[in-house]
């Protein structure tokens, strides 16, 4: 494992290695035990989109591991004025020990990894959000004591979160059901890759337009905003189309007893989810947000600390 560009590149064993280390780092953190595995190392964090969780958890994570993090807004570095990814990758590789990048095109992240000589971590693209899903798997494991054999239902937009969930769940042997409206489905190539992975782990992949079919018997229910970053101009149309996909009491009736609710955040109450669900006893959204810190520390320790 040299980079974290897509969960599709990780083996089942590599995912469980990250989750195990994340669990250890979390419990050590609670007991005040520190590990300065990345002492003297610096992570560059390139952001072309907004962020609360990703920015803060990576920065705090680097600090806790004994290193430091540099916030690089693409508006302020020459990349935003047209300097090539090729030159940026070569130059930053001379200063930094790793780069986390949040941007639009997956290709830019892949190119950074190809041209640079340091580990690259995908902090969200239009196509994937691998760090988020590692934290989600950690959260589900904490709540349920296992992953294999559980069913996760994702109801909403077939976006970056849905794509990384497809990879993540299928690789750990979970069943995943995705309900998205016509025209907003997941990428077919990613669905096929998830089906292939599921064959090996015994998981199942269901793709449907029907939220009831997807949520039936779910142990974990997930949704995300209907308007991702960069889609602001489509907002009015999207809010109309996605309304039947709202997670509410009515839909929750079909879940398994003890089902949990997940959301990567930021959330928009009254749209993709009602208050009684996201603020109810089934919601684990803040554990999920916290686990971004622990899961990413594990990723950085492995990639930048050769753990
Ligand atoms: N879930 C997530 O990535 O949040 P931010 O956009 O705040 O980083
Ligand atoms: N799908 C959302 C996720 C935000 C963390 C977006 O891309 O804006």
């Amino acid at each position: 494992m040299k980079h974290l560009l897509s969960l599709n590149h990780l083996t089942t064993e590599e995912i469980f290695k990250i989750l195990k280390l994340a669990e250890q780092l979390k419990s050590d953190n609670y007991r005040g035990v520190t590990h300065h595995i990345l002492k003297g190392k610096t992570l560059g964090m390139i952001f072309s989109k907004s962020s609360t969780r990703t920015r803060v958890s990576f920065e705090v994570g680097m600090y806790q591991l004994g290193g430091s993090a540099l916030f690089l807004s693409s508006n302020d570095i020459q990349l935003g004025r047209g300097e090539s990814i090729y030159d940026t990758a070569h130059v930053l590789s001379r200063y930094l020990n790793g780069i986390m990048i949040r941007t639009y095109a997956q290709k830019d992240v892949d190119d950074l990894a190809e041209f640079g000589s340091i580990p690259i971590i995908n902090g969200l693209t239009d196509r994937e959000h691998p760090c988020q899903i590692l934290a989600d798997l950690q959260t589900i494991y904490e709540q349920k004591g296992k992953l294999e054999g559980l069913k996760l239902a994702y109801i909403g937009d077939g976006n970056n979160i849905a794509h990384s969930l497809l990879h993540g769940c299928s690789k750990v042997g979970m069943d995943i059901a995705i309900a998205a409206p016509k025209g907003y489905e997941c990428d077919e190539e990613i669905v096929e890759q998830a089906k292939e992975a599921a064959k090996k782990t015994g998981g199942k992949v269901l793709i449907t337009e029907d939220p009831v079919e997807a949520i039936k018997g779910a142990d974990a229910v997930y949704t995300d905003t209907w308007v991702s970053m960069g889609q602001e101009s489509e907002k009015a149309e999207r809010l109309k189309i996605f309304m039947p996909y709202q997670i509410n009491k009515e839909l929750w009736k079909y879940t398994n007893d003890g089902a949990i609710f997940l959301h990567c955040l930021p959330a928009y109450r009254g749209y993709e989810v009602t208050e009684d669900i996201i603020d109810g006893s089934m919601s684990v959204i803040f554990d999920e947000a916290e686990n971004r810190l622990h899961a990413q520390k594990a990723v950085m320790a492995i990639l930048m600390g050769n753990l």
Side-chain angles (χ1 to χ4, degrees):
M1 192 179 154
K2 278 207 205 133
H3 306 283
L4 178 56
L5 310 176
S6 160
L7 285 186
N8 191 38
H9 300 157
L10 266 52
T11 63
T12 300
E13 292 70 32
E14 284 168 335
I15 293 179
F16 278 110
K17 179 180 172 181
I18 294 168
L19 296 179
K20 207 166 158 224
L21 183 57
E23 188 184 6
Q24 176 74 48
L25 289 168
K26 182 173 183 174
S27 92
D28 286 351
N29 203 36
Y30 274 74
R31 290 182 297 120
V33 178
T34 50
H35 299 285
H36 285 171
I37 305 162
L38 301 182
K39 192 171 185 306
K41 300 207 168 167
T42 307
L43 177 79
M45 309 189 299
I46 303 177
F47 281 95
S48 306
K49 292 177 176 175
S50 305
S51 169
T52 299
R53 282 144 288 268
T54 305
R55 176 177 175 181
V56 177
S57 56
F58 266 104
E59 190 159 341
V60 170
M62 271 310 282
Y63 178 73
Q64 290 183 357
L65 292 174
S68 56
L70 278 181
F71 174 70
L72 304 167
S73 161
S74 66
N75 291 328
D76 301 330
I77 58 174
Q78 299 289 7
L79 188 63
R81 293 183 59 249
E83 186 168 14
S84 68
I85 293 275
Y86 181 87
D87 287 354
T88 304
H90 277 91
V91 171
L92 293 183
S93 294
R94 302 285 180 110
Y95 305 129
L96 301 168
N97 305 98
I99 296 175
M100 188 282 299
I101 175 168
R102 165 168 290 196
T103 190
Y104 295 87
Q106 179 72 29
K107 188 174 185 308
D108 288 350
V109 180
D110 296 345
D111 284 353
L112 205 54
E114 187 184 338
F115 302 134
S117 54
I118 53 175
I120 305 298
I121 300 171
N122 177 354
L124 181 147
T125 61
D126 290 344
R127 193 169 170 85
E128 286 208 46
H129 196 359
C131 295
Q132 178 66 52
I133 275 53
L134 290 170
D136 300 335
L137 294 176
Q138 185 183 357
T139 310
I140 298 167
Y141 186 82
E142 283 172 354
Q143 294 291 327
K144 299 284 174 194
K146 62 173 186 175
L147 293 174
E148 209 177 342
L150 294 176
K151 175 178 176 178
L152 181 139
Y154 174 94
I155 315 286
D157 192 12
N159 62 14
N160 42 12
I161 294 288
H163 289 159
S164 292
L165 280 170
L166 274 167
H167 286 316
C169 292
S170 61
K171 288 196 184 236
V172 300
M174 287 174 71
D175 295 350
I176 176 163
I178 305 233
K182 217 178 170 52
Y184 298 88
E185 300 97 338
C186 288
D187 182 89
E188 272 178 31
E189 188 191 9
I190 292 182
V191 172
E192 284 315 310
Q193 288 166 340
K195 284 183 177 166
E196 277 306 306
K199 269 189 207 159
K200 292 189 199 130
T201 61
K204 287 195 207 88
V205 178
L206 171 78
I207 304 292
T208 175
E209 271 179 57
D210 179 3
V212 174
E213 187 188 7
I215 208 170
K216 261 189 195 153
D219 304 293
V221 178
Y222 204 123
T223 190
D224 182 18
T225 180
W226 295 335
V227 187
S228 284
M229 290 181 275
Q231 299 172 337
E232 290 74 11
S233 64
E234 301 169 28
K235 185 172 174 182
E237 195 189 347
R238 283 175 164 268
L239 295 190
K240 265 191 267 158
I241 290 170
F242 280 98
M243 215 55 212
Y245 291 79
Q246 182 186 67
I247 310 285
N248 52 35
K249 274 263 159 69
E250 200 47 42
L251 207 53
W252 198 264
K253 285 194 310 212
Y254 298 97
T255 62
N256 265 355
D257 279 351
I260 54 172
F261 172 78
L262 296 105
H263 192 309
C264 56
L265 305 178
Y268 300 91
R269 288 165 173 77
Y271 292 100
E272 71 268 18
V273 59
T274 51
E275 274 181 30
D276 48 2
I277 303 289
I278 193 168
D279 299 319
S281 57
M282 62 286 265
S283 177
V284 295
I285 55 169
F286 299 126
D287 290 333
E288 208 184 339
E290 178 188 332
N291 286 337
R292 292 292 304 278
L293 171 67
H294 310 299
Q296 288 159 193
K297 277 170 73 180
V299 168
M300 292 190 292
I302 291 168
L303 292 180
M304 296 164 64
N306 300 317
L307 222 66

